[in-house]
Amino acid sequence: MNKKIMALLTGTLFSAQLLFALPGDIDSQLAKLPAYTGPGLEVTVTPTSTDFMLWSPQAEAVKLMLYPTDRNSAPTSTIDMRKSANGTWTVSLPGQLYGQFYTFTVKYNGKWLDPTPGVWAKALGTNGERAAIIDFANTNPKGWESDKGPKVAAITDAVIYEMHHRDFSVHPSSGIVNKGKFLALTEQGTVTPLGDKTGIDHLKELGVTHVHILPSFDYNSVDESNLPSNQYNWGYDPVNYNAPEGSYSTNPADPEARVREMKEMVKALHDAGIGVIMDVVYNHTAQNDDSNFSLTAPGYYYRHRADGSYSDASACGNETASEREQMRDFIKKSIAWWADEYHIDGFRFDLMAVLDCDTVNAIRAELDKLYPYIMMYGEGWSGGSCALESSRLCYKWNCRAFPQVGVFNDNFRDAVKGATFDVYQRGYVCGNTDLTNIIKRGLAGSVSHPDILGNDEAAWAQSPTQTINYCEAHDNWTMWDKIFISANDYSQEEKIAADKLSAALILLAQGIPFFQLGEDFLRSKPKFFEQEPTAVHEMFEDNSYNSPDYTNAIRWGEKVRNIDVFKYVRGLIELRREAALFRMGSADEIRAKLHFLPTNDLGVIEMKLEDDCDCFIVAFNPYREEKWVELPEGVFFVRYSEKGKQHEFPMNQNPVKIPPISAVVFERYGRELYECKNNIRHFENRLGLHTLI
Ligand code: CA
């Protein structure tokens, strides 16, 4: 996340009542409140009753209100709840109250706080103002019982594609009916007016293993009661963590619809062999004193500064306190709920460094119990300084403390692309050879490696399973815009070559490759401007969190215009998925099987990947002229080049030519290789040749 929300919220003072109630060290006082980590929070429907439970340890009284509709109706009944163990309040009502809506209100310091659906609402009406009592069994699509996501033995086998629901489908060229909805991902056979695949068929065609959906829990910034107003937001402003966002359903007022439609989306992707990763934002809430956390347990879920104000490591007005027992349990159970009820295959933690390592490890342990193939990764940074010792937090440099969780590799990103916050700095792909060493680090999975000189900070990973390799995500410039801005003197052909080189670096590096929707066909985020720009970068948007569709929508027609780039990326994904040497699972394996060979030019990288069966040489040339590299002993053929898939033997050439701004993958042919495969048809097919064996 990146400065996307709300300067408006920053600096809000914490409520005066709490300061009065809890003088001294606020956070240590709050941490002493009794926690309840058992079952039954919020609402449980039994065959004969509907039981409510709210954790509200500072409350003087709590009332439950029932309503016939999701909004604009008076309560049909208001019921006093009874103080129970460990800070909970309970009430049991006769009968199954399916179809009704409810809120709680808490009396605190003599005052009744605003009604809240609680923090554990799993079904919601419009704008998440009231919670709903539904039967989840009614929300399951056909075949849901046997639905399972793809088994990914090692996270490095994944190829992740990040997308926003509205970007994906809203443009007319998508051919998708349910624009901006969960159901967009269930539509098969959609095409552009020229017949190119869009939607889920595009995902299948590209060959990605997982889609990563931007926040899809209930968030604040889109008014669900006024969807035609055409608002847009990434959704990094959480309101209700445990129910889907209403604007992505076909009817936000229908609590079952949003649950069912999100499950239908998951089912359709699973049927296509694609896993679903959810972007989750436990580091802060959209509101401060008015959040559901504050309205049930004032102050408890947040960290504070010494003066009682909200600490703000999210740069969005507050930061949550994952280390506090009730909050830790909340996050852990919330993740487990999504994994279990919605069959989610992975979680991406926004500003993960606001969360403490113990919590993240507890989530990992919980998911391992549920389904060990579920992935976890996040941003190993925060948006400001935290009110907790940094040694306890999930910063990238602490990754030794959370070994089974990945983090985004900003070192590799900025070396491929050029500095994120220095827009005119060129990346390696645009000839900045000062960055060559960091590129090598990235190619070697950012683990320490004897072939790379120095012990720089770019060798931070304990294992390639910890590095998410990317050069483009929703934040910051798209790769194509960054090339356009920083290398404006390049010809169109050279710019495209630089873009393809970026894809080769990400997909041929050890670690977990990650792409943004449309990156495979030169996605741009054009800015809507009224006055002629005075600098190139003013033509593009680098923080499009609330930009109009004009900036964010995928123009699917670009796919056919840039079909060469699309095919190039698709071919690399295929190569990566075929050859295990491109996705090794440990640092030791990388140190044993990956080596860098000496080259004549500072910026030219020659990487050798070799095991008992295979040997690949990958050469990267960031220069605007052709370069030459020496191949080792053996007979090599060109497996992949700027032209895409190839089976060309350069047997009579050594050194071999690497075209300007390109990557070339060579594979060694040999009798031992053939014997090792023990599968003649396999090898013949790969070569596309039959006469050699
Ligand atoms: Ca919402």
Side-chain angles (χ1 to χ4, degrees):
M1 192 188 64
N2 170 28
K3 60 178 177 179
K4 57 196 63 139
I5 323 179
M6 310 178 282
L8 292 170
L9 285 177
T10 51
T12 312
L13 272 179
F14 194 51
S15 70
Q17 294 96 322
L18 185 79
L19 284 173
F20 176 74
L22 295 168
D25 182 351
I26 288 168
D27 284 356
S28 64
Q29 300 264 11
L30 289 166
K32 288 179 192 153
L33 290 171
Y36 173 79
T37 58
L41 283 169
E42 198 85 9
V43 62
T44 308
V45 182
T46 76
T48 56
S49 67
T50 304
D51 306 335
F52 295 86
M53 184 195 281
L54 187 75
W55 183 76
S56 186
Q58 307 126 297
E60 290 139 21
V62 179
K63 285 184 200 300
L64 166 74
M65 285 162 293
L66 293 171
Y67 311 85
T69 62
D70 73 325
R71 55 206 293 264
N72 301 330
S73 56
T76 47
S77 46
T78 301
I79 303 129
D80 290 325
M81 295 182 78
R82 194 165 43 86
K83 191 163 182 145
S84 190
N86 295 72
T88 61
W89 296 74
T90 59
V91 66
S92 178
L93 302 176
Q96 298 185 315
L97 304 182
Y98 290 131
Q100 298 202 40
F101 293 82
Y102 66 89
T103 59
F104 304 100
T105 178
V106 166
K107 193 177 185 187
Y108 175 72
N109 277 345
K111 191 183 147 208
W112 287 98
L113 304 181
D114 287 342
T116 167
V119 303
W120 255 108
K122 292 171 182 164
L124 299 166
T126 309
N127 284 332
E129 288 166 14
R130 294 176 183 174
I133 305 164
I134 66 166
D135 184 354
F136 277 86
N138 290 341
T139 63
N140 294 342
K142 220 173 148 208
W144 188 244
E145 304 68 35
S146 56
D147 173 77
K148 268 264 184 277
K151 274 190 188 173
V152 181
I155 187 174
T156 46
D157 292 349
V159 179
I160 301 171
Y161 202 52
E162 182 200 51
M163 58 159 282
H164 183 277
H165 296 290
R166 192 175 173 98
D167 298 359
F168 183 72
S169 53
V170 77
H171 197 268
S173 62
S174 72
I176 291 170
V177 177
N178 291 287
K179 291 188 167 52
K181 306 293 178 188
F182 292 128
L183 292 180
L185 278 151
T186 68
E187 293 183 35
Q188 314 284 335
T190 59
V191 289
T192 66
L194 291 174
D196 292 279
K197 289 177 180 168
T198 68
I200 192 170
D201 286 5
H202 168 77
L203 306 177
K204 287 193 261 184
E205 187 183 20
L206 182 58
V208 296
T209 64
H210 289 75
V211 291
H212 156 153
I213 50 173
L214 257 62
S216 300
F217 51 79
D218 178 41
Y219 63 78
N220 192 47
S221 46
V222 172
D223 181 2
E224 298 175 12
S225 68
N226 187 21
L227 292 181
S229 68
N230 216 25
Q231 299 160 85
Y232 179 94
N233 207 284
W234 283 340
Y236 291 91
D237 51 344
V239 178
N240 291 287
Y241 283 98
N242 301 308
E245 161 62 14
S247 64
Y248 297 145
S249 83
T250 55
N251 182 7
D254 177 352
E256 280 189 14
R258 57 174 97 190
V259 178
R260 186 186 312 111
E261 290 170 11
M262 185 161 173
K263 286 180 176 177
E264 282 175 11
M265 173 196 80
V266 173
K267 177 81 168 59
L269 285 161
H270 284 176
D271 288 347
I274 297 169
V276 182
I277 297 167
M278 251 180 93
D279 200 332
V280 289
V281 189
Y282 294 101
N283 66 78
H284 77 281
T285 53
Q287 293 145 316
N288 288 357
D289 292 350
D290 295 325
S291 74
N292 294 323
F293 284 153
S294 297
L295 295 176
T296 56
Y300 178 84
Y301 291 98
Y302 301 99
R303 298 186 192 127
H304 304 92
R305 301 189 185 108
D307 66 359
S309 61
Y310 286 97
S311 185
D312 186 21
S314 69
C316 295
N318 59 66
E319 78 192 55
T320 54
S322 60
E323 71 283 9
R324 236 158 270 166
E325 191 179 359
Q326 192 73 22
M327 182 57 177
R328 176 174 295 164
D329 191 62
F330 173 82
I331 301 174
K332 196 174 78 176
K333 286 203 175 101
S334 175
I335 291 283
W337 167 249
W338 287 107
D340 192 30
E341 183 67 26
Y342 291 84
H343 303 178
I344 297 298
D345 305 285
F347 296 91
R348 176 268 192 198
F349 292 80
D350 186 63
L351 299 183
M352 190 167 67
V354 175
L355 274 57
D356 70 296
C357 304
D358 290 346
T359 296
V360 165
N361 288 329
I363 298 167
R364 180 71 266 173
E366 190 73 12
L367 291 178
D368 285 344
K369 279 190 259 168
L370 210 59
Y371 193 56
Y373 302 106
I374 298 172
M375 298 177 192
M376 283 175 67
Y377 57 92
E379 292 181 311
W381 53 76
S382 60
S385 64
C386 285
L388 193 70
E389 308 89 285
S390 58
S391 60
R392 292 177 62 187
L393 298 168
C394 291
Y395 282 106
K396 190 179 74 180
W397 58 81
N398 287 340
C399 71
R400 201 180 283 271
F402 47 97
Q404 290 173 282
V405 179
V407 290
F408 286 94
N409 191 338
D410 51 339
N411 307 100
F412 193 35
R413 175 196 69 196
D414 284 4
V416 172
K417 190 180 192 176
T420 294
F421 301 109
D422 177 2
V423 61
Y424 289 97
Q425 193 202 64
R426 293 179 184 207
Y428 173 82
V429 298
C430 292
N432 187 347
T433 54
D434 292 346
L435 301 169
T436 307
N437 222 41
I438 308 175
I439 292 289
K440 284 186 182 176
R441 285 277 183 224
L443 290 168
S446 293
V447 300
S448 71
H449 193 290
D451 289 1
I452 306 168
L453 295 175
N455 189 19
D456 54 90
E457 61 162 22
W460 51 268
Q462 306 307 302
S463 154
T465 57
Q466 283 201 297
T467 169
I468 302 287
N469 295 330
Y470 75 121
C471 57
E472 176 176 333
H474 64 279
D475 274 329
N476 313 125
W477 313 100
T478 71
M479 186 69 219
W480 179 242
D481 290 346
K482 174 81 176 174
I483 292 170
F484 199 92
I485 296 164
S486 64
N488 202 27
D489 56 320
Y490 275 35
S491 68
Q492 178 76 356
E493 201 181 17
E494 286 175 316
K495 286 179 184 135
I496 290 173
D499 189 89
K500 285 161 100 174
L501 182 55
S502 77
L505 287 162
I506 298 301
L507 282 162
L508 300 175
Q510 303 298 322
I512 305 127
F514 174 106
F515 280 72
Q516 183 180 213
L517 168 63
E519 187 182 341
D520 46 310
F521 48 92
L522 307 183
R523 180 173 185 174
S524 175
K525 291 189 180 177
K527 210 181 218 169
F528 189 80
F529 48 84
E530 282 162 6
Q531 283 183 335
E532 201 61 27
T534 54
V536 183
H537 72 275
E538 290 173 9
M539 294 163 64
F540 307 101
E541 183 59 67
D542 68 332
N543 184 16
S544 67
Y545 77 96
N546 67 351
S547 299
D549 294 334
Y550 174 80
T551 297
N552 281 309
I554 291 297
R555 293 166 172 80
W556 287 94
E558 294 295 312
K559 183 176 165 183
V560 69
R561 268 164 48 94
N562 301 303
I563 200 74
D564 172 51
V565 179
F566 169 77
K567 285 182 178 166
Y568 179 80
V569 176
R570 184 184 62 180
L572 282 168
I573 291 174
E574 203 180 304
L575 172 63
R576 182 183 174 91
R577 292 184 71 174
E578 271 176 28
L581 277 171
F582 292 111
R583 39 190 171 81
M584 293 184 233
S586 74
D588 284 341
E589 194 183 354
I590 290 172
R591 285 188 282 265
K593 298 177 183 171
L594 182 152
H595 293 284
F596 292 100
L597 307 179
T599 60
N600 293 326
D601 302 271
L602 174 72
V604 173
I605 297 172
E606 188 176 2
M607 174 172 78
K608 182 169 84 162
L609 303 163
E610 187 174 27
D611 61 13
D612 294 341
C613 290
D614 285 312
C615 178
F616 293 96
I617 298 291
V618 189
F620 298 96
N621 174 15
Y623 297 98
R624 296 168 85 178
E625 62 266 14
E626 62 190 35
K627 295 288 179 186
W628 299 80
V629 298
E630 189 112 18
L631 295 177
E633 292 250 317
V635 177
F636 285 86
F637 62 94
V638 177
R639 180 73 188 275
Y640 212 83
S641 76
E642 81 290 354
K643 296 175 197 152
K645 225 184 223 180
Q646 277 187 286
H647 296 112
E648 179 192 315
F649 276 79
M651 283 182 294
N652 300 323
Q653 306 171 9
N654 204 4
V656 288
K657 187 172 73 180
I658 309 299
I661 319 176
S662 76
V664 183
V665 181
F666 301 93
E667 185 173 357
R668 192 173 64 202
Y669 167 74
R671 174 58 60 182
E672 72 288 338
L673 176 62
Y674 159 65
E675 283 166 358
C676 190
K677 296 286 182 231
N678 199 21
N679 183 342
I680 192 164
R681 187 169 300 158
H682 171 74
F683 195 59
E684 282 180 344
N685 284 344
R686 284 171 71 199
L687 277 173
L689 294 168
H690 301 271
T691 51
L692 286 160
I693 294 171

